[in-house]
Structures are given as C-alpha cells and as structure tokens.
Amino acid sequence: MANLEPVIPDEQPLTPFHDLDHYLSIPRVSGLALSPDGSRLVTTVSTLNGKGTEFATALWELDPAGQKHARRITRSAKGEAGAAFAANGDVYFTSARPDPDSPDEEPVNALWMLPSDGGEARVVLSRPGGISRIMTARDADAAFVTAEVLAGSADEGDDAERRKSRKDKKVSAILHSEYPVRYWDADLGPAQPRIFAVEPGEDTAPGKPATVDATAPLALRNLTPDAGPRLREAETVVSPDGKTIYSSYAKPLAKADSRSILVAVDVASGSLKVLLDHEGMSYFPGPVSPDGRTLVVVSESDSTPHKAPEIKLHLLDVSGDAAVDDASGLQPLAHDWDRWAKPAAWLPDGSAILVTADDDGASPVFRVSVPSAAAEVGVTRVTQDSAAYTDVAISPEGRHAYALRSSYAFPPEAVRIDLASGETTRLPAPAERPASPGRLERIAASAADGSRVPAYLALPEGASAGSPAPLLLWIHGGPLGSWNAWTWRWNPWLLAAKGYAVLLPDPALSTGYGQSHIQRGWGSWGKAPFTDLMAVTDAAVERPDIDPARTAAMGGSFGGYMANWVAGKTDRFKAVVTHASLWALDQFGPTTDASQYWLKEMTEEMALENSPHLHAENISTPMLVIHGDKDYRVPIGEGLRLWYELLSKSRLAADDDGQTPHRFLYFPDENHWILKPQHAKVWYQVVEWFLARNVLGQETELPPELGL
C-alpha cells in the first residue's frame, strides 16, 4: 500500500544568506547592452545548474520603459554571453552550444545571431580557435571580433591545421620569447589575440535551392596580422561609422618591462597607426564622440616605489594627423577632479561624457562637460545614492541612461537614470532582490595623522548593547580598490546571518578618496594601511553593539597580505583568515604573473621592510590559510611557504604530535578566486567552522565532502 503521509518540505531559511545552497541559487546579473534605437536592453543572467556544480548563463531582455516583465531569450546547457547589438537591431552573442546545422563538429565558442524580428538564434561564424568578443558599430553595418590564432599561422585554414596537430599529438608545450608568460590563471601562448572584421563570405553553393532565410557564410579578415602578443588584455573601441578601431597596444621595453600605447586601425586597409606613445605613460581608449572626431583617452602614469600612479582623462582629436606619436595633442579633461574616472558614453549632442568613479564608498555616475561645448569644464554628480554603477549606456535622445547598479544592500540590477534629475528607477528584473539578514551602516575613524578612515559595517539582526555581536574585520584586495559594490566572493551577509558584524574599511591605498589617500600608503603597506585598519577597528569595538572580546581579521590577495601582517604585528584577534595572500615579498615579486608592475611599486629594501614573513615568530593567533594552485597572480609558493613557516616558526607551531591550531584549505584546481559553486560553498563552510571554533568557542561540523 502506498505511503499516504504528507511530504514535509525542508524548512525555508529566513533569507538566502542563512543557507549556502539558497545563496548559490541567487541569479546573478552581469553586462548590459542597449539597442541603437533605445527600445531593447539585453543582459546576462547566471543561474546554478540542477546539480549545483556550475553556473549557466543566458541572455535576458529587459524593457527600457519599465513596463514589461523581463524575459529570457536564449537557453542552452552551454550558456550564452557577450551580447552586442548590430545597427539593425540583431543581437550577436557568443556560445559554445552545439550548432544544429553541424551536429558532428566539436562545439567551440562561436558567434551566434538572434534576429531583431524574432526567431531562433543561429551560428553565423565558427572557427576552431573560437571567438573571444564581439564588437559592433553604432551607426553602420559593421561587426568585429577578437579571436586567438597560433602565432605561426598564415591564415585561418593553416591555424585550424596547426590546432588539430597539437590536439591529435597531445602537445601542450609553449616556447616563449617575451614576458609575461602567464596572466591570472591563464597560460599565455602559443595563441595570440587578433582583431578581425566580420564580412560576407563566398556562397559555397550558389543557385542551390534553399529557404528564404539562407545567407552566405560570414568570413573573417585579419586586421592585425602582425600584432604578435601586443593585443593581450587590450582595451578596444569601434568608431560609430565602423571605419576605425582604437586599441591599447602593449609595447615591450628593456628588462622585461612594458607599457600600453594607443593605436588606430583603419578597417578598410588594415593599416595600423600609432596615436600616442609617450615614455612613462600608458594610454587606453574610451568612447568615440557621436561625430567620430574625438576620442576619450585614459592615461595612467608609471608608478615608482615612491609615487603612486595617476589616472587622468583626456580628449584626442582623431579627425586628422596632428596627434600621431605626440602626447601634446591631448586635451586635458577635468584634471582638477581628484578621482580616477572610467569613461562610459558620450551624450548624443557631444556636450558631455558620462563616467563612473569610486567616490567615498560608492561609484556614482558623473557628467563631465566637454570644453568645446561648455564655457567651463565641470564635473556633476548624476546619481545621488550610495551605489556602484557599471555598464552605462545612453538612450538615443539623451534623456536617460541605463546601467547596472549594486551596493552592499543588493546585487547588480538594471536601472534607468533620468539624466536631468538623477532619479533612478529599477527595471523589472529576472529575479527579485534577496532579503537581507541585517542592516548596513557607514562609520569612520581618525588615523594618527588626522586622516579619515571610512568603513561600512554590516550588522546582524538583533545586535544591540544587550546582545553585542562578534566582529569580523574584512580587508579588501587590490590594494587600489574600495568596498563599494556587491561581491559574490566576499559577501558579508553570509557571516551576518551567522551573527557576526562585518567591518569593511577603506584604509590608505583605497580608491575614491583622492590621490593623497592612495599616496599615504604607497610603498609602505605595513604602515598607514595597517594603522588605519587598527584605528577603524578600535572605533567599531567601542560601539555597545559590538563585542570587543570576540574579533577576527580576514582578507584576500592584498587583504590576505594585510591579514598576514596583522597576525605578525598584534595578538588582538582571536583568528585570522588569509586567502591568496602575499607572504614573502622578496619571493613574490619575481614569481607573480606581472613582475614588471610589482618592481615599480617597491625596491628590494622596501619589499623586505614590508614583508610579513619576517614576523612569523611573532604569530600567536590561529590562522586559516587558503590558496588555489592555479593562482598565477599570487603564486602557490606564497601559500606553501606561509603554511610551512606557521608550522615551523610561529608561536603555535606544530607540537611533538604534529598538531597545530592553524589550518590550510588548499584547492588544486582553483585560481585567485574560488569559482566553482561547490568549492565556494566549502570555502564558506570551512571559514565558518574556523571562526566558530576560535572566535565563538563552538564546535561545528566541517563539510563531509572534505572526507574528514
């Protein structure tokens, strides 16, 4: 007889942050593309697959007017991303899903097109090496892709044969002749990026009967055949008429150094012209003006061990030849504004540019007027909330902008911005905002030199003088960054749901507070950044709703460096969690993936003076070390040496039985970030276990997947 007892569902958590499986299931929005006529918005949404082992991406369409609900427009197991609108409204995107017209071919990341008037998406271009990015011209029927070719390939056919040979013979060896050889988690080479024009190809069966939607295949024309590795990590923009591509271009220098120059590629001829090449400076293209005559340029000065870089905006006349190889052709734009701006888009009338910039715990949208269109250049803040904005696009008539907005109160969501009033309206979204398990406050402390040290404080529900919360100091990475936007990897609400208060400070070296705030910590990481962190922690524990006897410090990357420094300089914390951290700066410098930049930040003497490994003998706080083996930015050697020296030198070294309160969470196949969903879950579970044991004096269970 069948069991007729009702099935009782699992108890629903108070918020998604109270259960890691629910947290991982929150849909994640990224990227935003606006159609040329302003009638359609497309974004990418990542969701967890049924097994909980991978995030799958899909394209969703949003209504710019905010009247219609969001709707999914692509669906496949492999996912879709990188949406770009053609001038006629068609949507291009990339996907590795199988091509139904070529079911026997191995899927690669190909170029797909979704017609503007509806219908199924179809592959319009596929190549063995795949497609990296699609770019389109706003006012012309012109499309371009970036894609990698093997360095010695003569053409696309030759490239396909070389790839097949390497695969069939199982050869992965790479012979390098230049630096760098790795980047974050990628081994560079033997493939190199190129920019291609996407053009009609030859019809292989002219006159053969077909349906009315049949079109000739597309072909690629290599616009940068001689680029070598110069376009790796390049920033590239297309002129509105599709006739010119502007790109940063890596220039090799003596002693394995490099910097970025600015080049223009003529689409018709494929000729490349150097626009800006100036010693001690790197240049990156911003958006092109609506009339195609003016390019926004971002300059970044080389740092030295004693001087932080400066990032500035400029305008460059690209209508003639005056700017070739000459930085004097640059027109300064808002150089008195003490923020590092990221240019987003021109207003349609060419009177101003919208930019974003870190600013006191936010990253608002600003309007920067253009000198030729205004008597005086000015910077006006458009958005007034304490949120961070990205992916800004402007409507054709210039009344509205669209962007993704996030803060520590909510993950990224699409909004419409009224450019006259600054009012923002949340557009109907693919998912609702997750409920928060606490509240967010803004606090600040005064450093020893009188500088303001700001921070966010995420407080759990119920924190009060009668029930003070334990405190977790979280130190951000970078170090040139700010706690001002939602993060999935370091999300304070997961720990707030466990009853902790999470302190998110912006010490010296943080962006959004002016050049002087960066310079205060430049080349002396163990000084002002450390004392700033201690000052704001002091201010936090003076609050009646914070328990000063139960505190811990955590950080990743530079934040991990600082966590290591904290562990060797103070015993005030009950536990320290250090993720992907720098430990021995003399070892780190030559082994990171970008040594040429690191060696401009500190001399050998400065690196030793600020190296945490010299204070290993002082460490009396239990430490949880976390590192991924595929981390090339902070190589695994840092984690391995830290672990050994904790067990051999610290005051909590391994005893006669080999036991220690320190722990090492190692991920053989993860990089600087922990990206796989179940690994992220294990990461949080082990952190929660370690904190409960050392801060709360409680024993909780470790994830069974660890096999312990």
Side-chain angles (χ1 to χ4, degrees):
M1 183 175 179
N3 186 353
L4 299 180
E5 293 182 2
V7 176
I8 302 175
D10 293 337
E11 184 178 348
Q12 184 76 11
L14 291 175
T15 73
F17 304 97
H18 285 81
D19 183 285
L20 284 169
D21 289 320
H22 282 248
Y23 171 72
L24 291 172
S25 296
I26 299 173
R28 306 179 179 194
V29 175
S30 62
L32 195 66
L34 179 67
S35 64
D37 64 2
S39 65
R40 302 173 66 197
L41 278 169
V42 171
T43 189
T44 301
V45 180
S46 300
T47 53
L48 198 63
N49 68 6
K51 295 182 179 180
T53 55
E54 290 183 320
F55 289 107
T57 57
L59 300 185
W60 283 69
E61 183 169 338
L62 311 177
D63 177 19
Q67 303 299 315
K68 302 175 183 177
H69 62 77
R71 66 185 185 97
R72 185 170 181 166
I73 58 175
T74 65
R75 187 183 299 271
S76 74
K78 291 293 186 178
E80 301 82 24
F85 277 97
N88 67 355
D90 292 344
V91 179
Y92 289 108
F93 62 88
T94 59
S95 177
R97 65 191 194 182
D99 180 3
D101 293 331
S102 304
D104 296 330
E105 293 186 6
E106 182 177 349
V108 295
N109 205 42
L111 180 63
W112 292 68
M113 189 271 287
L114 189 62
S116 60
D117 55 357
E120 289 280 353
R122 61 183 178 86
V123 175
V124 293
L125 185 67
S126 182
R127 58 186 299 275
I131 301 295
S132 302
R133 180 191 174 199
I134 173 70
M135 300 173 287
T136 56
R138 190 191 65 226
D139 301 332
D141 181 17
F144 309 90
V145 298
T146 56
E148 291 196 336
V149 302
L150 295 177
S153 300
D155 52 36
E156 284 289 273
D158 186 27
D159 188 66
E161 288 298 321
R162 289 171 182 262
R163 289 179 182 277
K164 184 177 185 302
S165 176
R166 281 179 64 87
K167 180 180 179 181
D168 291 347
K169 297 176 181 179
K170 301 187 183 302
V171 172
S172 60
I174 304 169
L175 178 63
H176 292 285
S177 59
E178 292 189 20
Y179 189 84
V181 300
R182 309 197 296 182
Y183 188 74
W184 287 115
D185 63 347
D187 295 303
L188 301 181
Q192 300 171 343
R194 301 285 186 267
I195 301 173
F196 294 87
V198 180
E199 299 176 338
E202 295 183 4
D203 193 341
T204 56
K208 188 176 182 180
T211 58
V212 294
D213 65 339
T215 58
L218 296 179
L220 295 179
R221 179 164 58 93
N222 194 340
L223 299 177
T224 55
D226 301 320
R230 309 290 170 249
L231 290 169
R232 284 177 179 156
E233 306 308 317
E235 296 183 20
T236 307
V237 299
V238 178
S239 64
D241 60 9
K243 295 181 179 180
T244 311
I245 295 173
Y246 301 97
S247 181
S248 58
Y249 202 78
K251 179 177 182 177
L253 304 173
K255 298 181 179 180
D257 198 3
S258 64
R259 56 183 171 83
S260 291
I261 62 176
L262 184 68
V263 302
V265 179
D266 180 74
V267 172
S269 65
S271 62
L272 184 147
K273 179 171 65 176
V274 175
L275 298 181
L276 294 170
D277 179 359
H278 191 255
E279 185 177 353
M281 198 71 67
S282 286
Y283 298 102
F284 307 92
V288 185
S289 61
D291 62 7
R293 299 177 60 87
T294 307
L295 176 71
V296 178
V297 175
V298 179
S299 70
E300 180 176 349
S301 62
D302 282 354
S303 61
T304 72
H306 302 285
K307 184 174 175 58
E310 294 188 12
I311 296 177
K312 298 292 186 181
L313 292 179
H314 312 261
L315 298 177
L316 181 66
D317 184 350
V318 290
S319 61
D321 297 326
V324 176
D325 290 316
D326 185 6
S328 64
L330 285 173
Q331 181 178 8
L333 185 64
H335 278 201
D336 293 335
W337 185 36
D338 197 12
R339 294 293 183 268
W340 288 2
K342 303 177 184 69
W346 287 76
L347 293 186
D349 63 3
S351 64
I353 300 157
L354 294 188
V355 306
T356 59
D358 289 351
D359 186 63
D360 198 7
S363 187
V365 176
F366 296 88
R367 179 189 294 106
V368 181
S369 59
V370 173
S372 61
E376 182 178 343
V377 175
V379 178
T380 305
R381 181 167 175 166
V382 177
T383 57
Q384 301 302 317
D385 53 6
S386 298
Y389 290 79
T390 64
D391 301 272
V392 179
I394 299 180
S395 62
E397 80 288 345
R399 290 182 54 198
H400 298 102
Y402 303 92
L404 294 185
R405 173 185 68 177
S406 77
S407 76
Y408 281 107
F410 50 84
E413 60 188 23
V415 297
R416 182 179 65 249
I417 306 166
D418 186 304
L419 293 179
S421 66
E423 180 183 358
T424 59
T425 303
R426 183 174 185 260
L427 298 176
E432 293 304 315
R433 283 185 185 180
S436 171
R439 66 185 190 277
L440 192 68
E441 293 186 11
R442 187 77 166 152
I443 68 171
S446 293
D449 62 0
S451 298
R452 172 174 167 263
V453 186
Y456 283 108
L457 181 63
L459 287 158
E461 295 288 355
S464 64
S467 180
L471 180 73
L472 304 181
L473 166 65
W474 281 20
I475 310 166
H476 70 64
L480 302 177
S482 170
W483 288 120
N484 61 13
W486 185 269
T487 167
W488 295 104
R489 277 295 310 120
W490 285 75
N491 194 290
W493 298 118
L494 288 170
L495 277 301
K498 296 291 183 181
Y500 297 95
V502 182
L503 182 65
L504 306 162
D506 278 347
L509 291 173
S510 300
T511 53
Y513 307 93
Q515 193 74 21
S516 61
H517 195 67
I518 297 170
Q519 189 63 48
R520 285 179 60 236
W522 193 258
S524 55
W525 288 7
K527 294 182 180 178
F530 170 68
T531 56
D532 282 3
L533 291 168
M534 295 304 98
V536 75
T537 301
D538 289 340
V541 298
E542 289 176 358
R543 295 168 56 107
D545 53 3
I546 299 297
D547 184 351
R550 297 185 296 167
T551 61
M554 300 173 58
S557 195
F558 167 79
Y561 157 88
M562 191 55 65
N564 294 339
W565 187 264
V566 165
K569 288 293 183 176
T570 178
D571 61 359
R572 68 181 295 172
F573 298 103
K574 298 293 185 182
V576 170
V577 179
T578 179
H579 171 90
S581 65
L582 291 72
W583 173 242
L585 297 191
D586 58 336
Q587 169 183 277
F588 167 79
T591 60
T592 181
D593 62 349
S595 296
Q596 74 276 27
Y597 295 111
W598 169 255
L599 297 176
K600 296 175 186 176
E601 295 204 15
M602 291 187 189
T603 63
E604 292 183 5
E605 294 75 17
M606 293 164 71
L608 277 178
E609 183 181 353
N610 290 276
S611 188
H613 84 283
L614 297 179
H615 308 286
E617 292 87 350
N618 298 333
I619 295 176
S620 59
T621 305
M623 294 187 70
L624 172 60
V625 180
I626 310 175
H627 222 109
D629 199 87
K630 302 299 289 183
D631 186 349
Y632 296 163
R633 179 55 47 95
V634 183
I636 185 61
E638 296 297 299
L640 295 175
R641 183 170 174 180
L642 168 57
W643 179 238
Y644 176 74
E645 293 186 348
L646 284 176
L647 269 60
S648 62
K649 293 183 178 181
S650 77
R651 296 184 184 180
L652 299 175
D655 61 20
D656 292 341
D657 294 324
Q659 300 302 303
T660 176
H662 302 307
R663 292 293 185 274
F664 183 14
L665 180 59
Y666 169 66
F667 292 94
D669 55 353
E670 292 283 5
N671 56 31
H672 199 63
W673 307 275
I674 308 302
L675 299 178
K676 296 179 181 178
Q678 292 303 314
H679 281 169
K681 182 178 177 180
V682 167
W683 190 98
Y684 277 111
Q685 288 173 316
V686 173
V687 167
E688 291 170 5
W689 169 85
F690 190 77
L691 294 175
R693 165 178 277 202
N694 293 289
V695 177
L696 306 181
Q698 300 173 0
E699 288 295 334
T700 60
E701 292 185 1
L702 283 165
E705 292 82 1
L706 289 175
L708 299 176

